[in-house]
Amino acid sequence: MALLARVGAGIGLGLGLGAGAGAAGIGWFYSSLLLDTSERPQYPERVLTADGATVTLAATRLTAQPGTWGLRWNGPEGRPDGLAVLGPVTATRPGAVVRTVRSGPIPPPGTAAVLDAGPYDPDPGARGLPFDEVAVPGPLGHCPAWLVPATGDTWVVLVHGRGGSRREALRVLPALHERGYPALVVTYRNDDGAPPSPDGYYHLGDTEWEDIGAAVRFARERGARRVVLFGWSMGGAIIAAMLDRSPEASAVAAVVWDAPLVDWRATLRQQAGNRRLPPVLTHVAMAMTSRRIGIDFDRFDLLLCPPSHRPPTLIVHSTEDTAVPVAPSRALVAAAPALGWPMRYLEVPGVEHTGSWNADPDAYEQAVTSFLSDVL
């Protein structure tokens, strides 16, 4: 969700032009980043030293986060084959933090890396779970998914965020499996192995919801009596659109949202503000985006336009989230009783976007499973 990582470079393109032309150019650039489906891994952290038990990283706000994280780096010839599971910070010194290495290879000093909320790869087998690779028939073609079987007839369909992948779900799968929930970890259009959208753009939930409706139908055809939808980040916007527009919505008995995008405008304003862009440029970019993909951003403000089907919902959001602001989640939870929307809320301090599990896996999993037990 680092939608504006390259906007700063584009600002210079508008300098020296007329104000209107400059704003239009930057707005178009911002809109293009928002809709871009290509993957551009970034490795902003630096390994200073490493031994068999610890890694010392250059100190940043991100490397100092509490909890359990993945450390990823590129292998030879740019292959993304470096992954270690890091534990908590054990020591700090000027310009550096020391973290334990719980598993995986040790990166050499000088390695460029990224602290990743997804510490496991490549599939549910990494968590010791049996699974099948299945294909979910969707409106554009078949979308690959992992099916993790279990004993119950309430399935959980797990939906990753913008620019993410199925491995986002690997963190919570063991807790769901232990309690008997079959899990379907899905992809949607423009994901690796899934069909591209006709125009090659993300549609920010406005069309991707159709693929999630297809996944719910797939689960029901294979014995699911009820379905839980579990989404991260833009996965929340996709799920909300599905709850509002899909004939399969009535099968959804509960929702779990982690750092959900419940107001696109607020999210884009925050990300523009992070980079000190004038608010007018955000409005220009949203107007251009609406013209390019036909999205109505009003429909993605859930406080004003809640979905027609509103099952019991757990929202988990971290206070330090700079990608998707926490304020709209707080506002939606506060308004939920008046909206006739049963909601529970967990706020987690000290970690970035979708890092709530990483901060305290046991507490996170207890909150999710107790919520599901209560409402189901």
Side-chain angles (χ1 to χ4, degrees):
M1 288 299 302
L3 306 177
L4 299 181
R6 301 182 305 280
V7 168
I11 292 176
L13 299 177
L15 296 178
L17 302 177
I26 297 169
W28 181 267
F29 185 69
Y30 184 1
S31 173
S32 296
L33 290 181
L34 185 61
L35 304 181
D36 184 8
T37 63
S38 61
E39 295 184 12
R40 295 182 175 87
Q42 297 184 24
Y43 300 92
E45 316 302 347
R46 182 70 57 179
V47 176
L48 301 179
T49 63
D51 57 33
T54 65
V55 169
T56 301
L57 301 169
T60 68
R61 182 178 58 84
L62 298 179
T63 60
Q65 292 178 102
T68 301
W69 298 82
L71 185 71
R72 295 178 183 270
W73 62 94
N74 270 343
E77 299 178 356
R79 294 194 303 271
D81 55 1
L83 171 62
V85 180
L86 302 188
V89 174
T90 59
T92 61
R93 48 180 179 261
V97 297
V98 182
R99 305 188 74 111
T100 58
V101 178
R102 290 184 166 171
S103 64
I106 305 298
T111 298
V114 61
L115 204 70
D116 194 326
Y120 306 108
D121 255 344
D123 54 45
R127 307 303 319 270
L129 298 174
F131 72 101
D132 294 312
E133 187 84 46
V134 298
V136 175
L140 298 182
H142 287 77
C143 295
W146 295 323
L147 174 55
V148 181
T151 57
D153 60 6
T154 298
W155 287 38
V156 182
V157 175
L158 300 106
V159 185
H160 67 78
R162 179 190 177 280
S165 70
R166 286 181 283 177
R167 66 179 170 81
E168 199 156 26
L170 295 178
R171 293 172 289 180
V172 300
L173 284 183
L176 298 174
H177 183 75
E178 181 181 343
R179 287 156 181 82
Y181 299 112
L184 185 66
V185 187
V186 302
T187 59
Y188 47 84
R189 60 196 65 190
N190 297 308
D191 281 343
D192 186 26
S197 56
D199 58 10
Y201 293 142
Y202 281 125
H203 281 239
L204 312 182
D206 205 34
T207 59
E208 291 86 353
W209 67 267
E210 297 175 350
D211 301 325
I212 306 311
V216 171
R217 184 165 55 251
F218 179 95
R220 295 182 70 188
E221 290 171 350
R222 284 153 183 79
R225 184 170 61 89
R226 298 178 297 185
V227 172
V228 175
L229 295 180
F230 197 134
W232 289 264
S233 191
M234 192 179 83
I238 296 171
I239 288 170
M242 183 271 176
L243 293 174
D244 192 50
R245 309 182 205 181
S246 174
E248 302 296 334
S250 60
V252 179
V255 171
V256 179
W257 276 338
D258 187 323
L261 205 158
V262 300
D263 182 345
W264 258 118
R265 286 194 176 95
T267 298
L268 297 178
R269 284 195 299 269
Q270 171 162 304
Q271 294 201 1
N274 290 344
R275 287 146 181 91
R276 297 183 176 86
L277 294 180
V280 66
L281 295 180
T282 309
H283 297 304
V284 171
M286 286 191 288
M288 289 183 170
T289 301
S290 295
R291 288 199 297 271
R292 293 172 77 175
I293 64 170
I295 189 171
D296 179 356
F297 283 110
D298 285 342
R299 299 188 75 178
F300 288 89
D301 181 343
L302 301 190
L303 186 62
L304 299 178
C305 298
S308 56
H309 181 56
R310 299 186 282 274
T313 298
L314 169 66
I315 294 181
V316 183
H317 214 132
S318 58
T319 59
E320 306 305 312
D321 193 333
T322 61
V324 175
V326 67
S329 286
R330 291 170 177 163
L332 184 60
V333 171
L339 299 174
W341 194 346
M343 264 191 195
R344 190 176 298 183
Y345 184 54
L346 172 64
E347 195 162 281
V348 177
V351 289
E352 251 291 356
H353 187 51
T354 71
S356 295
W357 179 92
N358 305 78
D360 190 335
D362 290 340
Y364 183 100
E365 291 169 6
Q366 175 61 30
V368 169
T369 56
S370 63
F371 165 74
L372 294 177
S373 177
D374 290 346
V375 302
L376 298 176

